[in-house]
Amino acid sequence: MPPKPPTPSAADQTASLQDLITATLTQLNTYTTLLNPTAPSPDLPDTATAVDPPNPLHLLRDTAKLIKAHVTKLSLLAINKPFTPSAVRKVLAELKATCIPALMSGSQICTLQQGAKWSEMMGREVQARTRRVVRELESLVRELGEINGGGGGGGSRRNGSVKGGGGDSLRSTGVVWESCDALIELETMGIGGLAVVKAGQYRDTIRDAIEELREWKEGEDLDSEGQDELLDEGDEGVDGDRFEDLFHAANSMPSDRPELRSLAEEADGKLKKVVLLYTAAIKRRFKTLKPLEGGEGRNEEEMKRLDQVMGVLDGIPHQVDELASCFYDLDEERVRKSLKGCVDEAAQAASLLERNWEDQEDEFTTWGGKWKEAIS
């Protein structure tokens, strides 16, 4: 019988694991850079450039589940005593060779199919959530390197953690799990579900702005308004009237600006109607945007329209912020211009959503026409 190969020494096992950790960190760092929104398109893995690539959301879902299983094993191996570099190396090698490249492939497939099967909105979200998984994996692998380089299993075990890094490894596992769950969630939500979430976030931002403007409009004219503990109207460079106006504006609307108050009331009413548009769009358009059979994305024309309307809906909260700034600056002319911009943008969104995803008129079409009349 041929002689058995010699068993690697503990030092050799530690060195071998450290080499793999270094290679894995290099891989993860490269992918983090490639997943940056401003990065050029990379050379893609074979899966991403296949003639008939898999559904990227399904691939990312399955890969994220595998990553969760692998990092759980790694974390348990990291805190168990004695620390065994060879066992850790086996699991980490599988993670590096299969899961991490598959993660990148899923993201790149979605990027390649942007504007066709998948919207740009979904492509950006996939990229952002994939990048988060990669970055959290990088943190966990670094902690493994610290444990491995810190003398292996020599740490003392207290309260379920290993002194010198094991406890941190467990915490990193939870963060990786959370980032993987966020990626899995995209497959569950689909394009329509993501649009519902995004539109809801934009709507809530506008609601907050409405509430802030209302508080500013209805704020009491306190004795302290228009005063400052460091400056007063007699100080050099301080214009008395302008000084008082600025500090009034910081707390509440000045009582001697009836036209500005009228504009604030008009803005309040119109912004409430904008919020109604978001709510109606979520219910009648985005919740009805279902994936095609097999979980695939929609057609190119629908994705183009969705990206257009989401771009408009994303821009309106920024317009509302600008409107609020105009009020706080007590600039009536800019208020009128900014309010018109908000209404025009909202009307554009309503027009883009006028027909349903089957390009037919429905209840929302009629409602949208009445909404435009009400807000004009």
Side-chain angles (χ1 to χ4, degrees):
M1 293 179 63
K4 293 182 179 180
T7 303
S9 66
D12 289 340
Q13 291 183 34
T14 298
S16 178
L17 174 57
Q18 200 62 42
D19 288 343
L20 178 60
I21 287 172
T22 300
T24 305
L25 287 173
T26 300
Q27 179 191 44
L28 291 168
N29 184 61
T30 300
Y31 284 176
T32 299
T33 302
L34 293 175
L35 287 166
N36 190 306
T38 60
S41 299
D43 293 331
L44 304 177
D46 292 340
T47 306
T49 55
V51 175
D52 188 19
N55 182 312
L57 299 188
H58 291 176
L59 176 59
L60 290 168
R61 174 200 61 196
D62 296 342
T63 302
K65 290 179 179 179
L66 283 174
I67 290 173
K68 289 172 67 176
H70 279 73
V71 298
T72 300
K73 292 178 184 177
L74 288 172
S75 190
L76 291 173
L77 289 169
I79 66 172
N80 281 339
K81 195 178 171 183
F83 180 79
T84 310
S86 59
V88 174
R89 191 186 191 288
K90 179 181 178 182
V91 179
L92 183 59
E94 292 174 356
L95 184 69
K96 179 182 183 298
T98 59
C99 298
I100 297 175
L103 195 67
M104 192 66 178
S105 292
S107 176
Q108 293 302 327
I109 291 170
C110 197
T111 299
L112 284 173
Q113 295 179 343
Q114 267 184 202
K117 289 184 177 181
W118 305 101
S119 66
E120 292 182 9
M121 171 190 66
M122 178 61 81
R124 289 191 299 269
E125 195 69 18
V126 163
Q127 189 176 48
R129 297 193 186 198
T130 301
R131 190 166 188 260
R132 184 188 171 201
V133 173
V134 171
R135 294 183 68 174
E136 300 304 345
L137 279 173
E138 187 176 352
S139 296
L140 184 136
V141 174
R142 287 189 188 281
E143 288 167 7
L144 283 177
E146 293 171 5
I147 297 169
N148 184 55
S156 62
R157 187 169 181 174
R158 295 182 183 177
N159 299 324
S161 67
V162 175
K163 184 178 180 181
D168 288 340
S169 183
L170 274 180
R171 285 192 291 273
S172 292
T173 301
V175 177
V176 174
W177 267 56
E178 183 181 332
S179 63
C180 286
D181 286 340
L183 197 54
I184 294 168
E185 182 186 37
L186 284 179
E187 190 274 334
T188 305
M189 289 193 301
I191 297 171
L194 181 59
V196 168
V197 170
K198 293 292 185 182
Q201 292 171 348
Y202 305 151
R203 178 188 60 187
D204 291 344
T205 300
I206 297 173
R207 279 176 171 165
D208 291 342
I210 292 172
E211 184 60 30
E212 288 178 8
L213 275 173
R214 185 180 297 124
E215 290 175 358
W216 177 76
K217 177 172 67 75
E218 297 174 355
E220 296 180 2
D221 192 4
L222 303 176
D223 292 339
S224 61
E225 287 185 349
Q227 298 179 8
D228 183 81
E229 60 182 8
L230 297 179
L231 300 173
D232 59 42
E233 296 177 15
D235 286 332
E236 182 179 355
V238 176
D239 182 318
D241 292 338
R242 180 59 178 163
F243 179 83
E244 185 173 354
D245 281 349
L246 285 172
F247 278 88
H248 272 305
N251 298 283
S252 64
M253 180 184 295
S255 58
D256 60 346
R257 302 293 293 270
E259 188 171 353
L260 191 65
R261 181 170 296 275
S262 176
L263 283 171
E265 291 171 354
E266 179 185 352
D268 184 79
K270 289 189 174 182
L271 291 181
K272 285 179 181 177
K273 291 181 176 66
V274 172
V275 168
L276 284 177
L277 175 65
Y278 278 80
T279 302
I282 289 170
K283 181 178 180 180
R284 297 294 184 178
R285 287 294 179 260
F286 302 142
K287 286 187 176 180
T288 61
L289 183 59
K290 304 297 183 182
L292 300 179
E293 187 175 351
E296 293 292 338
R298 307 284 297 204
N299 65 50
E300 185 172 353
E301 185 176 339
E302 290 171 341
M303 291 302 92
K304 182 178 179 180
R305 180 157 70 112
L306 177 63
D307 282 327
Q308 284 181 323
V309 73
M310 293 307 296
V312 175
L313 294 178
D314 183 18
I316 293 174
H318 300 288
Q319 290 262 22
V320 173
D321 283 343
E322 175 63 23
L323 173 63
S325 296
C326 295
F327 272 113
Y328 301 149
D329 289 341
L330 309 179
D331 191 330
E332 294 166 1
E333 187 59 35
R334 285 177 57 217
V335 164
R336 293 188 187 91
K337 183 177 179 181
S338 185
L339 179 57
K340 183 179 184 302
C342 292
V343 172
D344 289 347
E345 288 287 296
Q348 182 185 357
S351 296
L352 287 168
L353 293 169
E354 189 173 22
R355 302 174 75 86
N356 64 22
W357 302 111
E358 285 68 43
D359 197 29
Q360 298 173 347
E361 294 185 352
D362 58 9
E363 292 178 357
F364 183 89
T365 308
T366 304
W367 182 90
K370 294 178 180 178
W371 178 88
K372 287 181 181 179
E373 292 177 3
I375 201 171
S376 61

